Amino acid sequence: MYPTPQQYSPVAPYETPRRRRLSFGPFLVVLPLVLFAGLFFGLSFLASPEPDIEVQQGVGHARVQGRDVVLVPYARHGARGMFQLIFRDMFQVRLSATDPATGESLWDTQLSDELIWEADVLGAGDKYAYVATDSGLRILDLADGDLVAQGDGITGLGSGYVAARGAYAYDPEGGRVLAMNANGDVLAIPVDQTAAAPVDQATAAAWVGRLTTDHKTVRYDTTKREAAVDGGQLVVRERPNGAPGKVLVRVAADGQETPVGDAAFQNASIVVDGDRAAGAAAGSVLVHHQRSVNDKGWAVSLVSLATGQVTGTQPVASSLTRVLTTPDGGTLVTTDDGVLTARDGKLTALAVGATDFFGSPS
């Protein structure tokens, strides 16, 4: 007798897997916040003007990463957009290191958040820059602008430091920074060192009257109607026949006069570094003048001594605050609202104080 065949259960139909529903709950909660933040911060940034930039006259120069750079202290007042208003100081004094050949900013560091506060670059070595400020001496790393030592943290000064720019000076012949402490003693910090030590009696006697506890800003002679050039003088003269404007004339040691080109400048004067025409050693001179007969705004023009040709012109403020000759033979000119560099027959305006959306130097 055959066994009863095994009963098989019917094959169940294939089940269609259930689709998982995407949950937009958390996203929908966050999305309005993201949109609001974007509109709030973005629109406020686009609608706000750039902060006010005021270049201070205590500029200097140094060599950083194998390049000659300009050290520019400047004040930045205001904030562009709500992000900067919330997360950045409203008032800043900063120091930038800028390559004048390329306009590139190597670093830009904040020194203070005070409303009224100034800084003067005293000098620099291979490693450090020395900056006299209204809060005392600052020593900065030239590689990145980081603070190395300041005020009472400087060995040898300690609690006897003086919080005034006038208490510090640079001695280029001795290659050192001189400082007066609260007792009236004169100390010296050799370049590229961070500790101060007392100086000899002769040095102290020579410098004690030049170091003060004042914050007074030195005023420099930046323009003259007559300035020295190699082999004679450069003079600003009226144009012949009563024509408007002035021209440049070179006067030799024997009194012989030679016109420097035929370009006419309105209300003109010669930009000087001391008693010499700025840039003359490099073959060019700078002229500060009004832009035209009908435009009373001011400009600086670079003029070749050899040809009299104007090789560059940049608009500037009504007065110049500082003129320096850099080690590479260039000329640095500062005004309240900008910095000009003249080198290799070119006149360039350096960008100082530019920031990005977050208020970081750009």
Short mmCIF file of all heavy atoms in Angstrom, two decimals, residues 10-16:
data_model
loop_
_atom_site.label_atom_id
_atom_site.label_comp_id
_atom_site.label_asym_id
_atom_site.label_seq_id
_atom_site.Cartn_x
_atom_site.Cartn_y
_atom_site.Cartn_z
N PRO A 10 0.09 25.79 0.02
CA PRO A 10 0.18 26.61 -1.20
C PRO A 10 1.25 27.67 -1.07
O PRO A 10 1.52 28.18 0.03
CB PRO A 10 -1.22 27.23 -1.31
CG PRO A 10 -1.77 27.19 0.08
CD PRO A 10 -1.20 25.95 0.71
N VAL A 11 1.90 27.93 -2.18
CA VAL A 11 2.98 28.93 -2.19
C VAL A 11 2.39 30.30 -1.95
O VAL A 11 1.44 30.70 -2.64
CB VAL A 11 3.73 28.91 -3.53
CG1 VAL A 11 4.79 29.98 -3.55
CG2 VAL A 11 4.32 27.53 -3.74
N ALA A 12 2.94 30.96 -0.95
CA ALA A 12 2.45 32.32 -0.64
C ALA A 12 2.93 33.29 -1.72
O ALA A 12 4.05 33.17 -2.21
CB ALA A 12 2.95 32.77 0.73
N PRO A 13 2.09 34.18 -2.08
CA PRO A 13 2.53 35.16 -3.10
C PRO A 13 3.64 36.05 -2.54
O PRO A 13 3.74 36.26 -1.33
CB PRO A 13 1.25 35.96 -3.37
CG PRO A 13 0.44 35.81 -2.12
CD PRO A 13 0.74 34.44 -1.60
N TYR A 14 4.49 36.51 -3.49
CA TYR A 14 5.57 37.42 -3.07
C TYR A 14 4.98 38.69 -2.50
O TYR A 14 4.06 39.27 -3.07
CB TYR A 14 6.48 37.77 -4.25
CG TYR A 14 7.29 36.60 -4.74
CD1 TYR A 14 6.96 35.94 -5.92
CD2 TYR A 14 8.38 36.14 -3.99
CE1 TYR A 14 7.69 34.85 -6.36
CE2 TYR A 14 9.12 35.07 -4.43
CZ TYR A 14 8.78 34.43 -5.60
OH TYR A 14 9.51 33.36 -6.04
N GLU A 15 5.56 39.13 -1.35
CA GLU A 15 5.11 40.37 -0.74
C GLU A 15 5.92 41.55 -1.24
O GLU A 15 7.15 41.45 -1.35
CB GLU A 15 5.22 40.27 0.78
CG GLU A 15 4.30 39.22 1.39
CD GLU A 15 4.37 39.23 2.90
OE1 GLU A 15 5.18 40.03 3.43
OE2 GLU A 15 3.64 38.46 3.53
N THR A 16 5.24 42.59 -1.57
CA THR A 16 5.95 43.81 -1.99
C THR A 16 6.50 44.52 -0.77
O THR A 16 5.73 44.80 0.16
CB THR A 16 5.00 44.76 -2.73
OG1 THR A 16 4.42 44.06 -3.83
CG2 THR A 16 5.73 46.01 -3.21
#
